[in-house]
Amino acid sequence: MRSLVGCSNDAEPGSANDGADGGRYTYAVITHAAPGDAFWDRVKSGAERAGDDYGSTIVYNGDPDPAKQSQLIDNAIAQDVDGIVVSMANPDGLKSSIERAVAEGIPVVTINSGMERSKEFGAITHIGQSEAVAGAAVGDRRADEGKKRVICVVHEAGNVGLEERCSSAKAAFGGALENVQVDGTNDAEVKNTLRAKLQSDSGIDGVLTLGGQYAIDAVGAVEESGSSADVVTFDLSSDVIAQIKKGAVGFAVDQQPYVQGFLGVSALYLDSVNGNQIGGGEPIYSGPAFVTKENAEAVEKFAENGTR
């Protein structure tokens, strides 16, 4: 195994954490993370914690451009890693690289996005949230709350998981739900876009964001526009929990990104040391879990640690 820069633990040689050849395992974690997206910090933290626990080296990289993400997978193959964890927001863009890894005998676990294509590409399993199930649950809740017109804020163009959240919420909602595209790499622009949308359409009574930091942008946009719309969101952060406790955010859908990183590495490690392939050919769900005003305080201490 070539030496790679990453997060590793200083387990003693000969321990149970060593690979079969006496060296520790090295796993590449390659996501479609955009710069500044706090969600992926939690995925990374979970993966690195698993690496520490198992005495293995974790090499984390991310890029929202599928061509560049594919290159990162190719680089990991060339470096002869012991396994790859990869998120598939754009499955077609990664298909050839993932299939090449599998053909080279490198086990692959998919996380977060691309659940429906994971088995097709040869991955051991997929760990994440069913966006169809989660989206439908949100749509049902919005309908039960009496909402009539909701906007769904898409912060990353071409992300199949985000699109499915909106479409599944719309199907279950029954009312009017409109997608609004924003530039998720610029929070100021997200808030400006949403403020303008809310100012131009006073009939909007609900905002659904698809990432925790964008819920904070939406709260600001609602306040500045004078809109009566409320905000709910997918994904969690300490800031979102604070807004839930204040009542400015109604609820958050937590897909537990730390779990995705931790279990992604764990699945590879179990395959490395014992030939286990978990999931029985089916995905392993990391969510959804709803965080509301009633349970926000219990979750808050973990969010402050950067793990929820």
Coordinates of all heavy atoms in Angstrom, one line a residue, residues 189-229:
E189 N -26.1 35.4 -2.0 CA -26.9 35.3 -3.2 C -28.1 34.4 -2.9 O -29.2 34.7 -3.5 CB -26.1 34.8 -4.3 CG -25.1 35.8 -4.9 CD -25.8 37.0 -5.4 OE1 -26.9 36.9 -6.1 OE2 -25.4 38.1 -5.0
V190 N -28.0 33.3 -2.1 CA -29.1 32.5 -1.8 C -30.2 33.3 -1.1 O -31.4 33.3 -1.5 CB -28.7 31.3 -0.9 CG1 -30.0 30.6 -0.4 CG2 -27.8 30.4 -1.7
K191 N -29.8 34.1 -0.1 CA -30.7 35.0 0.6 C -31.4 36.0 -0.3 O -32.6 36.3 -0.3 CB -30.1 35.6 1.8 CG -31.0 36.4 2.7 CD -30.5 36.8 4.0 CE -29.5 37.9 3.9 NZ -29.1 38.5 5.2
N192 N -30.5 36.6 -1.2 CA -31.1 37.6 -2.1 C -32.1 37.1 -3.0 O -33.1 37.7 -3.3 CB -29.9 38.3 -2.9 CG -29.0 39.1 -2.0 OD1 -29.4 39.6 -0.9 ND2 -27.8 39.4 -2.5
T193 N -31.8 35.9 -3.6 CA -32.7 35.2 -4.5 C -34.1 34.9 -3.8 O -35.1 35.2 -4.4 CB -32.1 33.9 -5.1 OG1 -30.9 34.3 -5.8 CG2 -33.1 33.2 -6.0
L194 N -34.0 34.4 -2.6 CA -35.2 34.0 -1.9 C -36.0 35.3 -1.5 O -37.2 35.3 -1.5 CB -34.8 33.1 -0.7 CG -34.2 31.8 -1.0 CD1 -34.0 31.0 0.3 CD2 -35.2 31.0 -1.9
R195 N -35.3 36.3 -1.0 CA -36.0 37.5 -0.6 C -36.7 38.1 -1.8 O -37.9 38.5 -1.7 CB -34.9 38.5 -0.1 CG -35.6 39.8 0.3 CD -34.6 40.8 0.9 NE -33.7 41.3 -0.1 CZ -32.4 41.1 0.0 NH1 -31.8 40.6 1.0 NH2 -31.6 41.6 -1.0
A196 N -36.1 38.1 -3.0 CA -36.8 38.6 -4.2 C -38.0 37.8 -4.5 O -39.1 38.3 -4.9 CB -35.8 38.7 -5.3
K197 N -37.8 36.5 -4.4 CA -39.0 35.6 -4.7 C -40.1 35.8 -3.8 O -41.3 35.9 -4.2 CB -38.5 34.1 -4.7 CG -39.6 33.1 -5.0 CD -40.0 33.2 -6.4 CE -41.0 32.0 -6.7 NZ -41.5 32.1 -8.1
L198 N -39.8 35.9 -2.5 CA -40.9 36.1 -1.5 C -41.6 37.5 -1.7 O -42.8 37.7 -1.5 CB -40.3 35.9 -0.1 CG -39.9 34.5 0.2 CD1 -39.1 34.5 1.5 CD2 -41.1 33.6 0.3
Q199 N -40.8 38.5 -2.0 CA -41.3 39.9 -2.2 C -42.2 39.9 -3.4 O -43.2 40.7 -3.4 CB -40.2 40.9 -2.3 CG -39.5 41.2 -1.0 CD -38.3 42.1 -1.2 OE1 -37.7 42.1 -2.3 NE2 -37.9 42.8 -0.2
S200 N -41.9 39.1 -4.4 CA -42.7 39.2 -5.6 C -43.9 38.3 -5.6 O -44.8 38.4 -6.5 CB -41.8 38.7 -6.8 OG -41.5 37.3 -6.7
D201 N -44.0 37.4 -4.6 CA -45.2 36.5 -4.5 C -45.6 36.3 -3.1 O -45.1 35.5 -2.3 CB -44.8 35.2 -5.1 CG -46.0 34.2 -5.3 OD1 -47.0 34.5 -4.7 OD2 -45.9 33.3 -6.1
S202 N -46.6 37.1 -2.6 CA -47.0 37.1 -1.2 C -47.8 35.8 -0.9 O -48.1 35.6 0.3 CB -47.8 38.3 -0.9 OG -49.0 38.4 -1.8
G203 N -48.2 35.1 -1.9 CA -49.0 33.9 -1.7 C -48.2 32.7 -1.2 O -48.7 31.7 -0.8
I204 N -46.9 32.8 -1.3 CA -46.0 31.7 -0.8 C -46.1 31.6 0.7 O -45.8 32.6 1.4 CB -44.5 31.9 -1.2 CG1 -44.4 31.9 -2.7 CG2 -43.6 30.9 -0.6 CD1 -43.0 32.3 -3.2
D205 N -46.5 30.4 1.2 CA -46.7 30.3 2.7 C -45.7 29.3 3.3 O -45.8 29.0 4.5 CB -48.1 30.0 3.1 CG -48.6 28.7 2.4 OD1 -47.8 28.0 1.7 OD2 -49.8 28.3 2.6
G206 N -44.8 28.7 2.5 CA -43.8 27.8 3.1 C -42.6 27.8 2.2 O -42.6 27.9 1.0
V207 N -41.4 27.6 2.9 CA -40.1 27.5 2.2 C -39.5 26.2 2.7 O -39.4 26.0 3.9 CB -39.2 28.7 2.5 CG1 -37.8 28.5 1.9 CG2 -39.8 30.0 2.2
L208 N -39.1 25.4 1.7 CA -38.5 24.1 2.0 C -37.0 24.2 1.5 O -36.8 24.3 0.3 CB -39.2 22.9 1.4 CG -38.5 21.6 1.4 CD1 -38.2 21.1 2.8 CD2 -39.3 20.5 0.6
T209 N -36.1 24.2 2.3 CA -34.7 24.2 1.9 C -34.1 22.8 2.0 O -34.6 22.0 2.8 CB -33.8 25.2 2.7 OG1 -33.8 24.8 4.1 CG2 -34.3 26.6 2.5
L210 N -33.1 22.5 1.2 CA -32.5 21.1 1.1 C -31.2 21.0 1.8 O -30.5 20.0 1.6 CB -32.5 20.7 -0.3 CG -33.8 20.9 -1.1 CD1 -33.6 20.4 -2.5 CD2 -34.9 20.0 -0.4
G211 N -30.8 22.0 2.6 CA -29.5 21.9 3.3 C -29.6 22.9 4.5 O -30.3 24.0 4.4
G212 N -29.0 22.5 5.6 CA -29.2 23.3 6.8 C -28.7 24.8 6.7 O -29.4 25.7 7.2
Q213 N -27.6 25.0 6.0 CA -27.1 26.4 6.0 C -28.1 27.3 5.1 O -28.2 28.5 5.4 CB -25.7 26.5 5.4 CG -25.5 26.2 4.0 CD -24.1 26.0 3.6 OE1 -23.5 25.0 3.9 NE2 -23.5 27.0 2.9
Y214 N -28.8 26.7 4.2 CA -29.7 27.4 3.4 C -31.0 27.7 4.1 O -31.7 28.7 3.8 CB -30.0 26.7 2.1 CG -28.7 26.2 1.4 CD1 -28.3 24.9 1.4 CD2 -27.8 27.2 1.0 CE1 -27.1 24.5 0.8 CE2 -26.5 26.8 0.4 CZ -26.2 25.5 0.4 OH -25.0 25.1 -0.1
A215 N -31.3 27.0 5.1 CA -32.4 27.3 6.0 C -32.2 28.6 6.7 O -33.1 29.5 6.9 CB -32.7 26.2 7.0
I216 N -30.9 28.8 7.2 CA -30.5 30.1 7.8 C -30.7 31.2 6.8 O -31.2 32.3 7.2 CB -29.1 30.0 8.4 CG1 -29.0 28.8 9.3 CG2 -28.8 31.3 9.1 CD1 -29.9 28.7 10.4
D217 N -30.2 31.0 5.6 CA -30.4 32.1 4.6 C -31.9 32.4 4.4 O -32.3 33.5 4.2 CB -29.9 31.6 3.2 CG -28.4 31.3 3.3 OD1 -27.7 31.9 4.2 OD2 -27.9 30.5 2.5
A218 N -32.7 31.3 4.4 CA -34.2 31.5 4.1 C -34.8 32.2 5.3 O -35.7 33.1 5.1 CB -34.8 30.1 4.0
V219 N -34.4 31.9 6.5 CA -35.0 32.7 7.7 C -34.7 34.2 7.5 O -35.5 35.0 7.7 CB -34.4 32.2 9.0 CG1 -34.7 33.1 10.1 CG2 -34.9 30.8 9.3
G220 N -33.5 34.5 7.1 CA -33.1 35.9 6.8 C -33.9 36.5 5.7 O -34.4 37.7 5.8
A221 N -34.2 35.7 4.7 CA -34.9 36.2 3.5 C -36.4 36.5 3.9 O -37.0 37.5 3.5 CB -34.9 35.2 2.4
V222 N -37.0 35.6 4.7 CA -38.3 35.8 5.2 C -38.4 37.1 6.0 O -39.4 37.9 5.9 CB -38.8 34.5 6.0 CG1 -40.1 34.9 6.8 CG2 -39.0 33.3 5.1
E223 N -37.5 37.2 6.9 CA -37.5 38.4 7.8 C -37.4 39.7 7.0 O -38.1 40.7 7.2 CB -36.4 38.3 8.8 CG -36.6 37.2 9.9 CD -35.4 37.1 10.8 OE1 -34.3 37.7 10.5 OE2 -35.5 36.3 11.8
E224 N -36.5 39.7 6.0 CA -36.2 40.9 5.3 C -37.3 41.3 4.3 O -37.5 42.4 3.9 CB -34.8 40.8 4.6 CG -33.7 40.8 5.5 CD -32.3 40.6 4.8 OE1 -32.3 40.7 3.6 OE2 -31.3 40.3 5.5
S225 N -38.0 40.2 3.8 CA -39.0 40.4 2.8 C -40.4 40.8 3.4 O -41.3 41.2 2.7 CB -39.2 39.2 1.9 OG -39.7 38.1 2.7
G226 N -40.5 40.5 4.7 CA -41.8 40.7 5.4 C -42.8 39.6 5.1 O -44.0 39.8 5.3
S227 N -42.3 38.5 4.6 CA -43.2 37.4 4.2 C -43.7 36.7 5.4 O -43.1 36.7 6.5 CB -42.4 36.4 3.3 OG -43.2 35.2 3.1
S228 N -44.9 36.1 5.3 CA -45.5 35.3 6.4 C -45.2 33.8 6.2 O -45.6 33.0 7.0 CB -47.0 35.5 6.4 OG -47.6 35.0 5.2
A229 N -44.3 33.4 5.2 CA -44.0 32.0 5.0 C -43.1 31.5 6.2 O -42.4 32.3 6.8 CB -43.2 31.9 3.7

